[in-house]
Amino acid sequence: MSRTRRVLPGHRGTLSEVYSPRANSFGVLRLLLASSVVLSHVWPLGWGPLDPLWRYSGQQTDVGKMAVVGFFVLSGFMITGSGARITAGRFAWHRALRILPGLWGSLLVSALIIIPALYYWLHGSLNGYWNHPQGPLGYLSGTWTTAISNGWDISGVIAEGKARGTNFDGGVNGALWSLKYEILCYVMIGMLGASGILQRARKFVPMVVAALGLIILNDWINSPTWRRIPGDLASAVEIPALGSMSVRSVIVLVFAFLIGGTFQLYRERLPVNDLLALGSAAVLAASLAFGGFFVFGYPAFAYLLIWLAVRLPKPFQKIGRKRDFSYGIYIYGFTVEQALAMLGYAKYGKPVFLLLALAGTVALAVLSWYLIESPAMKLKNWTPGFVRKRLGAGAAPAAGGTGTDPAATGRHGTAQPGPEPRPQETSGVSA
């Protein structure tokens, strides 16, 4: 007589069984997270204080920073699969195409259109804008790698807004702070994939997650209160090309990213269970209310996001699949809100300010997708001529050895090993 495996109520199968690369809700989740960033910034950019979750959580997080965690989890899940499948060169090319063209476009729009317009509105002319000690060219040269090495302002425009009392943050685009942490995670995954660790020693990834979790747990236990951010906020490390990075931010964001990566690597063992998702939601809420968000809330939030990605109804699966505006919303939202604040739109209240911010941000995000991001991603399978000649001159390479990944159909490359249809990657846009 065959023995039936016992499962908990609400069990839907393993993630490997339930997840479909062509029928999931990652797109709508990214849009919600990106929109949450815009929502979160309404309070500090229009009025000064952080959004209400900051107070509710005992200064552990706010809505925007929580969205960052969500982006890193989703990005870790999708991109770890890609790093395990394609060559390091192709992986780096895909990642660069997804992040850099859109970023550079947003920097040019800010430095050459939006901020000059605000400067003109403040001064009645552009005299002094282009040759300012902290002018647009310096801003572009210090920001194109995400290092923000030449400061956050351009030609003193935001500083003047602060002096006038209309603006409360000193940056043209403060949302760019986490992009370099994401790029660091990409480099890490690329190295793990190139070394074969993702393919042949996948236990290494959850071991790193456990080690980082222990560091966060120790900091949390030793913190003065359980409802504060664990770790030393002042400690920083210099990373080539990326600039100064907070050690605490590296630890917690890599922790979130690799939780998603672990879910990807062990998807055949990860249960998709409705009761487990409900429990995760309860743990997340409790960690926000009573403390331990970084220790317990991160894993709970990560599981809840993956569960939503595979369990939301089918209508949600169509949102954001062909046209992914989430990255554009991320890279333009902060600047749009700074402009609205400087022009005095905060006086109309938070709902109007939010609607105007979303309208302007989405318009720019749509343009960014159609004019920059989508055309750039069409180059993902491009191979330089000298590489094609070198490959053609040698013996037939092993499967996957060329790095051209010709079977890729998703606009962002591949993320699912094996012969099954492969999913679209995501950029883990951050706030």
Side-chain angles (χ1 to χ4, degrees), residues 36-47 49 51 62 64-65 174-175 177 330 333-334 337 353 430-431:
S36 296
V37 172
V38 178
L39 169 65
S40 176
H41 287 156
V42 165
W43 279 263
L45 298 187
W47 284 265
D51 69 62
D62 56 47
K65 294 182 180 66
W177 73 268
Y330 157 66
F334 196 100
E337 289 177 288
F353 190 90
S430 311

Side-chain angles (χ1 to χ4, degrees), residues 167-249:
N167 297 77
F168 300 90
D169 186 281
V172 169
N173 197 344
L176 300 183
W177 73 268
S178 61
L179 271 184
K180 57 186 175 183
Y181 296 93
E182 186 172 350
I183 292 175
L184 180 66
C185 289
Y186 294 167
V187 173
M188 175 184 62
I189 292 298
M191 294 175 63
L192 292 177
S195 64
I197 290 175
L198 295 180
Q199 300 87 345
R200 298 184 293 274
R202 61 179 183 170
K203 290 182 180 179
F204 179 78
V205 174
M207 288 173 61
V208 174
V209 171
L212 294 175
L214 288 174
I215 293 173
I216 297 170
L217 174 62
N218 180 69
D219 287 341
W220 177 62
I221 291 173
N222 294 322
S223 63
T225 67
W226 285 7
R227 299 182 74 217
R228 290 297 177 95
I229 299 174
D232 181 8
L233 293 173
S235 178
V237 61
E238 286 290 329
I239 303 295
L242 298 180
S244 179
M245 303 180 75
S246 162
V247 172
R248 183 196 67 84
S249 294

Side-chain angles (χ1 to χ4, degrees), residues 115-129 157 160 164 342:
I115 302 303
L118 292 176
Y119 188 94
Y120 186 89
W121 185 80
L122 290 170
H123 300 281
S125 75
L126 290 178
N127 294 334
Y129 178 78
V157 170
E160 186 161 350
R164 292 179 175 221
M342 183 169 292

